C-alpha cells in the first residue's frame, strides 16, 4: 500500500509548481486520438499541471495565438466517442525549417510550456525530437533577437517530449498496437462481412484494397480475420509465378463448393522486383485466367473514419495517462520517449530507437531483403504471417505428415464471439500437423451421448466471422458422466482434447485431470483456451469474446448517451453481464466514459452510493449534460439496478432525471470483433502446436498408445502481461475463488482509478505497474511472444 501513498504525496507536491503540458495531434488522423487527448488533459489537471491544446498540429504551434489554448476539464467532455481529432491536425512544411521551429519555440515560451505530448506517426515524432535537440539554441536565438528575456533561457532550459503513436497502419516499431489500428480493422471487417453475403449470392470474387503504403499490417490481419483466399503485402511480396499459384488456389476453392473468393491487397503491395501490384491488376488477372465474375472495392478513407473501438479508447486512455506520468518524471537528461504497448502492458521506449528501427524496415524493403523486413516488423507481425499461411494454404495430402493421432475439439459453457475462429484454427492446424480432427457437438453433454464426428478442412470454411458457437455449447460438467465420456474416448480413440470455453471449461478440465486416477482414457494431452465474455477465467488477462462484448457495451452506451442530446440533464444506469466478475463494467466504463462502475470485487455501501450521487449532481450543475453509471449484475445482492436507479432518481430531483437499461444477452451476440477473431485464431494455433509436441513426447512406442499423466499435460493457455503461457490447471486452483467463479487477483482492477480520475474523482493512483524506460529489442525471445495483441 505504500506505493499509492507515495505517489499521492508526489502529486500534491507537484501541484502549484507551474508545470505546463501541451498536447497536439499531428500527421494523419486516427480513431482514438481524442481519447488520448482527453486522458492527457484530465490526468494533467489531476496532478496539478496547466494543460494546453495546440490546434492544427505543428502548424498551430508555428502560428501561435489562438491556436494555443488552455484546456479545462469540460473542454474534453463528450469527445471520447468522436473519431478523428477535434483539436485538428495539419501537415506543416514551415516546421521543417529552422525559422518555423524558432517561431514555435517563441510561442511555447510565451505560455511557459516546456512539456509536449505529441500524438502522431514517426514523422511527427521525429520532428518533435529534432525540436527538443535544438531547444536551447532556439532560446538563445530568441534572446539575441530580443523576443524573450535572458532569464527565460534558464527558466525554460529543457523541452521534454513524450510521444504516442496515432496511426491506423500500425507501422511503428516498438509497440504491438498503435492508436487507431483496431478501429481501422473494425471498418475493414465490417465491409468484408457485408461483401461476403453479396459475393456468396452471385458466386463472385472480390478484390479489396486496404490502406498500407509501406506496411501490410491491415491487409494481413484483416485477411487472417476473414479467412481471405489470398493477401498481398509490401513486406513479403509473392514469389515469381504467383499469378498461376493464386489462380490455382481460387479454382481449387471453388471446386470444393465455395461460392466466393476474397483477395486482400495492401495499397503498397509489390512483386519481388518492386513492381506495384494493384487491385486492378489482380482483378484483370482473375477475369483473364479464370473467367470469374470479379469486383474491386477500394476502402480508402473509410478506414480512418467512424467511432473508435473499445480497444482504441482503452489503449489511448492508458497511453495518455502514462504519457503524463512520463513527462512528470523526466529530467534534463531523459531522452524523448514514446509510450508503447507490449502484450497487455504499457512500456516507455526511447523515441529515436523506435524511429530508427522503423526506418530500418523500409531500408530492408528497398534493398529487397524481405525476410529481414518481416523480422524487423516484430514478432507479432511475423506470427500473423506464419499463422495466415498455415490456415489459408492447404498442403497436398502427399506433403502432410502422418501422425495417426485423433484430436477432439469442443466448446463448453456460454457462447462467446471468437469461439468459431478458434475451432477453425484448431482444425486446420491439426490437419496440417497430420492429425485426424474430431468435432464434439454440445460440449460434454454431446460427448457422453456420442455426438462426435470427424471434421475436415473445408468444413470450417467461413467460420471466423460467425458469432456464437457453431459446434453448439452447453454448461454441462463432465463429472457425472465421466464413465460414458471415457467410453466414447475409447471408442473414437481420442488421443488429445482441446476445450474452448469459460469457467465451466476450467472446472471441466480439473475434473478430467482428477478422473485420470480412475480412467486412463484421460491420461492424454488436454488444453483449454479461455473463451468467455465475462473474462473471469484464472490464468489469463484476456479471454476470447470479451472484446466483442466490450464493443457491444460501448456502442450501446454511446447510443444511449446520444439519445439524451438536446434534452434536460439525464443519468443512465446500465447493467452489464459478467456474473461476479466486474471486468465488463469496469473496462466498459473506462471506454464509455462512465462516472461510476459498481462491481463485486470493490465492495461499496450506501455512503459510497450517496457520495457518487452528490459528485454527479455537482458536475451536472456546472458542466455535463449526461451521466453514465455501470453496474455489474452480481455486484451486490441488495443494491440492485432498480435500487440504484430509484436512489439516483430521488436524490437527483431538480437537477437530473434517471433512466435504466439492462443490456442482457446482446453482449453475447453479434459478429466477433477483429481482436477476438485473431486472438482466437492465434492462441488456438499455438495450442495445437503444443498438443502435437505433447503427443510426440507422451507416445509409448512399445504399447502403441499415448499416456500423459503429469500436471503439465493438462494446461490452460493464457495471456499473462507480455507472454502467452501454458499453465497446469491444477496449479491454478489456488488462484481461484470457486464460490464466485473469479480469479483471486485481477489485473484490470488497476485500471479502476483511471476511470475515477477521468471522471473527476479525487483518488490515489497506484503507479507500481507504470512503464519504465526500456530499449527496443530486435528479436524478443519466444516465451515473450506478444502476438496476441493482434
Amino acid at each position: 500500500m505504500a506505493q499509492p501513498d507515495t505517489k499521492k504525496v508526489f502529486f500534491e507536491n507537484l501541484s502549484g509548481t507551474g508545470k505546463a503540458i501541451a498536447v497536439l495531434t499531428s500527421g494523419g488522423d486516427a480513431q482514438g486520438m481524442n481519447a488520448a487527448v482527453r486522458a492527457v488533459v484530465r490526468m494533467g489537471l489531476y496532478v496539478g499541471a496547466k494543460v494546453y491544446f495546440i490546434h492544427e498540429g505543428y502548424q498551430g504551434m508555428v502560428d501561435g495565438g489562438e491556436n494555443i489554448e488552455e484546456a479545462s476539464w469540460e473542454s474534453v467532455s463528450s469527445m471520447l466517442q468522436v473519431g478523428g481529432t477535434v483539436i485538428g491536425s495539419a501537415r506543416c512544411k514551415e516546421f521543417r525549417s529552422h525559422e518555423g521551429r524558432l517561431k514555435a519555440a517563441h510561442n511555447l515560451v510565451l505560455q511557459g510550456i516546456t512539456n509536449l505530448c505529441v500524438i502522431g506517426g514517426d514523422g511527427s515524432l521525429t520532428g518533435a525530437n529534432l525540436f527538443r535537440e535544438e531547444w536551447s539554441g532556439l532560446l538563445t536565438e530568441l534572446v539575441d533577437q530580443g523576443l524573450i528575456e535572458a532569464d527565460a533561457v534558464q527558466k525554460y532550459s529543457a523541452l521534454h517530449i513524450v510521444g504516442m503513436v496515432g496511426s491506423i497502419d500500425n507501422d511503428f516499431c516498438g509497440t504491438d498496437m498503435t492508436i487507431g489500428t483496431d478501429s481501422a480493422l473494425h471498418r475493414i471487417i465490417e465491409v468484408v462481412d457485408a461483401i461476403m453475403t453479396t459475393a456468396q449470392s452471385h458466386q463472385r470474387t472480390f478484390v479489396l484494397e486496404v490502406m498500407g503504403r509501406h506496411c501490410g499490417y491491415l491487409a494481413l490481419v484483416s485477411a487472417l480475420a476473414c479467412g481471405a483466399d489470398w493477401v498481398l503485402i509490401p513486406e513479403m511480396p509473392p514469389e515469381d509465378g504467383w499469378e498461376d499459384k493464386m489462380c490455382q488456389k481460387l479454382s481449387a476453392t471453388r471446386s470444393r463448393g465455395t461460392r466466393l473468393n476474397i483477395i486482400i491487397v495492401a495499397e503498397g503491395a509489390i512483386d519481388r522486383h518492386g513492381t506495384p501490384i494493384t487491385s486492378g491488376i489482380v482483378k484483370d488477372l482473375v477475369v483473364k485466367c479464370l473467367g470469374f465474375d470479379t469486383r474491386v472495392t477500394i476502402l480508402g478513407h473509410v478506414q480512418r473514419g467512424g467511432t473508435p473501438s473499445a480497444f482504441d479508447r482503452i489503449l489511448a486512455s492508458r497511453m495518455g495517462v502514462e504519457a503524463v506520468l512520463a513527462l512528470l518524471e523526466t529530467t534534463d537528461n531523459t531522452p524523448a520517449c514514446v509510450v508503447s504497448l507490449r502484450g497487455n502492458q504499457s512500456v516507455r521506449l526511447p523515441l529515436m530507437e523506435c524511429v530508427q528501427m522503423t526506418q530500418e524496415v523500409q531500408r530492408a524493403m528497398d534493398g529487397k531483403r524481405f525476410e529481414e523486413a518481416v523480422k524487423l516488423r516484430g514478432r507479432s507481425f511475423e506470427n500473423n504471417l506464419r499463422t495466415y499461411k498455415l490456415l489459408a494454404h492447404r498442403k497436398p495430402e502427399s506433403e502432410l505428415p502422418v501422425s495417426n493421432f485423433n484430436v477432439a475439439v469442443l466448446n463448453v459453457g456460454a457462447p462467446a464471439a471468437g469461439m468459431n475462429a478458434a475451432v477453425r484454427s484448431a482444425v486446420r492446424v491439426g490437419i496440417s500437423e497430420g492429425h485426424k480432427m474430431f468435432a464434439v457437438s454440445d460440449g460434454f453433454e454431446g460427448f457422453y451421448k456420442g455426438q462426435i464426428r470427424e471434421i475436415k478442412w473445408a468444413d470450417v470454411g467461413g467460420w471466423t466471422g460467425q458469432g456464437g458457437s457453431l459446434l453448439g455449447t452447453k454448461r454441462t460438467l463432465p463429472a457425472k458422466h465421466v464413465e460414458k465420456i471415457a467410453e466414447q474416448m475409447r471408442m473414437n480413440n481420442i488421443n488429445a482434447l482441446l476445450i474452448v470455453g469459460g469457467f465451466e471449461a476450467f472446472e471441466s478440465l480439473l475434473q478430467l485431470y482428477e478422473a485420470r486416477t480412475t480412467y486412463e482414457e484421460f491420461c492424454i494431452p488436454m488444453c483449454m483456451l479461455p473463451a468467455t465474455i465475462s473474462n473471469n477465467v484464472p490464468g489469463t488477462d484476456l479471454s476470447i469474446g470479451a472484446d466483442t462484448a466490450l464493443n457491444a457495451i460501448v456502442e450501446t452506451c454511446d447510443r444511449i448517451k446520444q439519445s439524451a442530446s438536446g434534452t434536460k440533464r439525464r443519468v443512465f444506469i446500465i447493467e452489464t453481464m459478467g456474473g461476479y466478475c466486474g471486468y465488463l463494467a469496469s473496462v466498459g466504463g473506462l471506454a464509455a466514459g462512465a462516472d461510476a462502475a459498481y462491481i463485486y470485487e470493490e465492495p461499496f455501501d450506501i455512503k459510497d452510493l450517496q457520495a457518487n450521487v452528490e459528485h454527479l449532481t455537482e458536475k451536472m450543475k456546472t458542466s455535463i449534460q449526461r451521466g453514465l453509471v455501470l453496474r455489474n449484475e452480481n455486484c451486490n445482492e441488495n443494491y440492485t439496478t432498480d435500487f440504484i436507479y430509484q436512489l439516483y432518481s430521488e436524490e437527483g430531483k431538480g437537477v437530473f432525471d434517471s433512466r435504466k437499461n439492462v443490456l442482457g444477452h446482446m453482449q453475447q451476440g453479434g459478429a466477433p470483433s477483429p481482436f477476438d477473431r485473431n486472438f482466437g485464431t492465434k492462441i488456438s494455433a499455438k495450442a495445437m502446436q503444443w498438443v502435437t509436441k505433447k503427443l510426440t513426447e507422451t507416445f509409448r512406442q512399445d504399447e502403441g498408445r499415448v499416456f500423459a499423466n503429469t500436471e503439465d499435460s493438462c494446461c490452460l493457455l493464457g495471456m499473462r502481461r507480455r507472454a502467452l503461457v501454458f499453465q497446469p490447471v491444477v496449479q491454478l486452483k489456488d488462484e481461484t475463488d470457486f464460490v464466485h467463479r473469479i480469479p483471486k487477483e485481477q489485473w484490470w482492477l488497476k485500471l479502476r482509478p483511471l476511470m475515477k480520475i477521468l471522471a473527476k474523482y479525487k483518488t490515489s493512483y497506484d503507479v507500481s505497474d507504470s512503464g519504465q524506460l526500456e530499449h527496443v529489442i530486435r528479436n524478443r525471445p519466444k516465451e515473450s511472444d506478444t502476438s496476441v495483441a493482434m
Side-chain angles (χ1 to χ4, degrees):
M1 291 299 293
Q3 187 66 38
D5 294 338
T6 304
K7 203 63 190 181
K8 193 175 180 183
V9 172
F10 172 68
F11 286 155
E12 287 168 357
N13 290 341
L14 180 76
S15 184
T17 58
K19 275 235 181 196
I21 298 170
V23 58
L24 70 145
T25 54
S26 178
D29 64 304
Q31 308 97 317
M33 279 184 165
N34 289 324
V37 170
R38 172 180 176 267
V40 169
V41 169
R42 292 194 167 176
M43 188 64 180
L45 294 173
Y46 169 76
V47 299
K50 274 190 172 183
V51 187
Y52 292 84
F53 294 134
I54 298 178
H55 294 280
E56 312 305 334
Y58 287 118
Q59 189 65 56
M61 196 191 295
V62 171
D63 294 342
E66 293 180 354
N67 289 301
I68 301 177
E69 173 195 9
E70 188 169 354
S72 66
W73 196 273
E74 292 73 25
S75 61
V76 292
S77 294
S78 302
M79 67 189 291
L80 184 62
Q81 68 272 21
V82 179
T85 165
V86 298
I87 61 174
S89 181
R91 311 283 180 187
C92 181
K93 287 184 179 179
E94 201 172 351
F95 188 76
R96 296 177 187 175
S97 68
H98 184 78
E99 291 75 16
R101 292 192 291 276
L102 191 65
K103 286 182 188 177
H106 184 218
N107 289 326
L108 292 186
V109 170
L110 288 177
Q111 300 290 350
I113 297 168
T114 55
N115 296 278
L116 272 185
C117 181
V118 181
I119 308 167
D122 61 334
S124 303
L125 298 177
T126 304
N129 189 64
L130 176 62
F131 189 39
R132 171 185 165 275
E133 290 173 346
E134 292 181 347
W135 180 256
S136 59
L138 294 171
L139 294 197
T140 303
E141 282 187 58
L142 292 172
V143 171
D144 292 344
Q145 293 177 20
L147 294 172
I148 61 172
E149 298 296 328
D151 63 351
V153 176
Q154 186 65 34
K155 189 176 179 182
Y156 307 115
S157 59
L159 179 68
H160 303 300
I161 303 282
V162 171
M164 285 184 276
V165 189
S167 165
I168 67 165
D169 292 334
N170 202 29
D171 57 353
F172 193 80
C173 293
T175 185
D176 288 343
M177 285 289 274
T178 57
I179 296 168
T181 304
D182 185 67
S183 300
L185 285 169
H186 272 259
R187 300 296 91 79
I188 295 168
I189 294 305
E190 284 164 11
V191 171
V192 172
D193 285 351
I195 277 175
M196 287 177 90
T197 58
T198 186
Q200 193 134 22
S201 301
H202 296 277
Q203 295 194 61
R204 281 186 178 143
T205 295
F206 268 90
V207 182
L208 269 77
E209 183 181 302
V210 302
M211 283 185 166
R213 195 170 302 155
H214 304 292
C215 178
Y217 184 88
L218 287 178
L220 177 57
V221 174
S222 54
L224 198 56
C226 72
D229 296 280
W230 204 269
V231 65
L232 293 156
I233 59 173
E235 290 88 346
M236 184 52 70
E239 300 287 346
D240 290 346
W242 64 273
E243 297 92 341
D244 290 338
K245 289 179 183 175
M246 184 184 76
C247 289
Q248 286 168 11
K249 167 80 190 305
L250 299 180
S251 182
T253 305
R254 285 289 178 95
S255 67
R256 288 195 293 268
T258 304
R259 292 176 59 86
L260 77 156
N261 299 110
I262 300 287
I263 302 166
I264 296 182
V265 183
E267 62 178 328
I270 54 173
D271 65 16
R272 290 270 156 176
H273 309 287
T275 306
I277 302 175
T278 66
S279 51
I281 289 171
V282 175
K283 177 202 167 181
D284 292 343
L285 178 67
V286 174
V287 171
K288 180 183 174 184
C289 295
L290 300 173
F292 290 171
D293 184 3
T294 307
R295 298 286 191 274
V296 171
T297 299
I298 299 174
L299 297 189
H301 282 75
V302 166
Q303 296 156 89
R304 285 195 188 279
T307 301
S309 66
F311 184 99
D312 271 328
R313 297 184 199 195
I314 297 159
L315 173 67
S317 298
R318 290 177 69 183
M319 282 187 168
V321 168
E322 188 67 40
V324 172
L325 294 176
L327 281 172
L328 299 181
E329 294 167 15
T330 54
T331 65
D332 291 355
N333 299 320
T334 307
C337 77
V338 62
V339 178
S340 300
L341 178 79
R342 282 192 178 169
N344 195 31
Q345 191 178 11
S346 295
V347 296
R348 302 175 196 169
L349 298 168
L351 171 58
M352 291 316 294
E353 283 188 21
C354 297
V355 169
Q356 286 158 11
M357 182 75 81
T358 304
Q359 291 170 347
E360 274 188 51
V361 178
Q362 191 58 50
R363 283 195 289 271
M365 288 162 62
D366 292 342
K368 298 184 174 56
R369 302 189 306 277
F370 299 115
E371 297 284 350
E372 184 184 340
V374 169
K375 283 190 170 65
L376 288 169
R377 278 277 179 237
R379 198 170 289 280
S380 173
F381 189 94
E382 202 175 357
N383 194 42
N384 280 323
L385 185 58
R386 189 185 311 114
T387 307
Y388 174 77
K389 287 178 177 177
L390 196 61
L391 298 176
H393 302 293
R394 184 182 183 182
K395 292 180 181 177
E397 296 286 340
S398 58
E399 293 181 23
L400 291 175
V402 181
S403 70
N404 294 318
F405 292 126
N406 295 344
V407 180
V409 59
L410 68 158
N411 295 336
V412 176
M419 274 183 163
N420 297 321
V423 172
R424 169 185 177 268
S425 177
V427 168
R428 292 197 168 180
V429 173
I431 290 170
S432 296
E433 301 273 338
H435 310 317
K436 189 178 280 190
M437 298 300 296
F438 288 82
V440 182
S441 300
D442 297 334
F444 283 106
E445 188 173 311
F447 211 137
Y448 81 80
K449 290 178 179 177
Q451 296 173 8
I452 305 167
R453 70 184 193 280
E454 187 179 352
I455 189 165
K456 300 291 186 70
W457 184 282
D459 295 337
V460 292
W463 278 33
T464 50
Q466 299 290 318
S469 167
L470 293 173
L471 285 184
T473 181
K474 295 284 178 84
R475 296 180 183 269
T476 307
L477 298 179
K480 291 181 182 178
H481 311 285
V482 70
E483 186 178 349
K484 289 182 180 177
I485 293 169
E487 184 183 342
Q488 289 295 334
M489 292 186 73
R490 190 166 55 251
M491 286 169 58
N492 291 281
N493 190 29
I494 302 298
N495 307 120
L497 269 185
L498 182 68
I499 303 173
V500 184
F503 202 89
E504 290 90 351
F506 173 64
E507 290 181 299
S508 297
L509 210 50
L510 281 171
Q511 291 177 3
L512 294 182
Y513 177 81
E514 288 163 6
R516 282 177 168 180
T517 54
T518 312
Y519 299 96
E520 284 194 355
E521 286 82 1
F522 301 114
C523 294
I524 58 173
M526 294 185 283
C527 185
M528 174 196 160
L529 302 179
T532 166
I533 69 165
S534 302
N535 200 31
N536 64 329
V537 178
T540 187
D541 290 352
L542 296 172
S543 299
I544 300 164
D547 183 73
T548 304
L550 276 178
N551 278 288
I553 292 167
V554 169
E555 286 167 18
T556 306
C557 288
D558 286 351
R559 292 182 184 184
I560 286 172
K561 287 196 293 183
Q562 192 179 48
S563 73
S565 296
T567 65
K568 60 184 178 179
R569 292 180 171 90
R570 185 165 286 171
V571 174
F572 296 95
I573 317 296
I574 311 290
E575 182 185 300
T576 67
M577 293 176 86
Y580 286 96
C581 181
Y583 176 82
L584 290 179
S586 294
V587 182
L590 177 61
D595 296 278
Y598 301 115
I599 62 170
Y600 168 78
E601 293 91 341
E602 196 172 281
F604 59 96
D605 56 23
I606 194 67
K607 291 178 183 176
D608 297 312
L609 289 168
Q610 185 64 34
N612 292 151
V613 174
E614 289 171 2
H615 179 80
L616 200 47
T617 303
E618 195 59 36
K619 284 169 69 177
M620 285 285 188
K621 286 177 180 176
T622 56
S623 58
I624 67 168
Q625 297 289 321
R626 298 178 296 280
L628 185 66
V629 175
L630 270 61
R631 178 191 176 274
N632 169 243
E633 59 183 347
N634 287 345
C635 65
N636 190 288
E637 187 179 353
N638 297 309
Y639 299 137
T640 62
T641 301
D642 282 335
F643 178 90
I644 293 173
Y645 161 68
Q646 289 165 3
L647 175 69
Y648 273 76
S649 296
E650 181 64 28
E651 296 299 319
K653 274 183 180 176
V655 181
F656 60 82
D657 65 354
S658 301
R659 296 286 187 274
K660 65 175 178 178
N661 196 306
V662 178
L663 299 186
H665 282 76
M666 65 166 291
Q667 297 158 84
Q668 277 187 324
S673 67
F675 183 95
D676 279 330
R677 296 181 194 204
N678 291 315
F679 186 34
T681 296
K682 288 190 285 188
I683 68 168
S684 186
K686 193 175 183 73
M688 281 306 302
Q689 288 163 345
W690 176 87
V691 165
T692 299
K693 181 169 173 282
K694 287 294 177 186
L695 283 169
T696 306
E697 290 173 357
T698 58
F699 181 69
R700 294 184 172 180
Q701 199 75 40
D702 53 334
E703 299 177 27
R705 65 165 181 153
V706 172
F707 187 85
N709 199 23
T710 55
E711 288 184 359
D712 68 351
S713 62
C714 184
C715 282
L716 179 148
L717 173 57
M719 181 186 177
R720 285 284 179 96
R721 293 168 71 85
R722 301 192 196 184
L724 281 173
V725 187
F726 289 96
Q727 301 148 98
V729 289
V730 71
Q731 293 178 15
L732 294 173
K733 286 172 72 175
D734 293 339
E735 298 180 25
T736 308
D737 174 354
F738 284 94
V739 175
H740 298 101
R741 298 158 59 87
I742 54 174
K744 290 178 181 176
E745 291 186 15
Q746 306 198 78
W747 69 273
W748 51 264
L749 287 170
K750 289 188 176 181
L751 297 182
R752 281 185 63 78
L754 280 192
M755 187 190 71
K756 293 176 183 177
I757 289 168
L758 299 177
K760 212 174 183 178
Y761 283 89
K762 291 179 180 177
T763 183
S764 58
Y765 181 54
D766 180 0
V767 296
S768 58
D769 201 33
S770 67
Q772 302 300 316
L773 192 64
E774 301 181 12
H775 292 282
V776 181
I777 302 170
R778 188 180 293 258
N779 284 310
R780 277 176 266 156
K782 285 186 179 178
E783 60 267 25
S784 297
D785 183 359
T786 56
S787 58
V788 290
M790 297 230 308

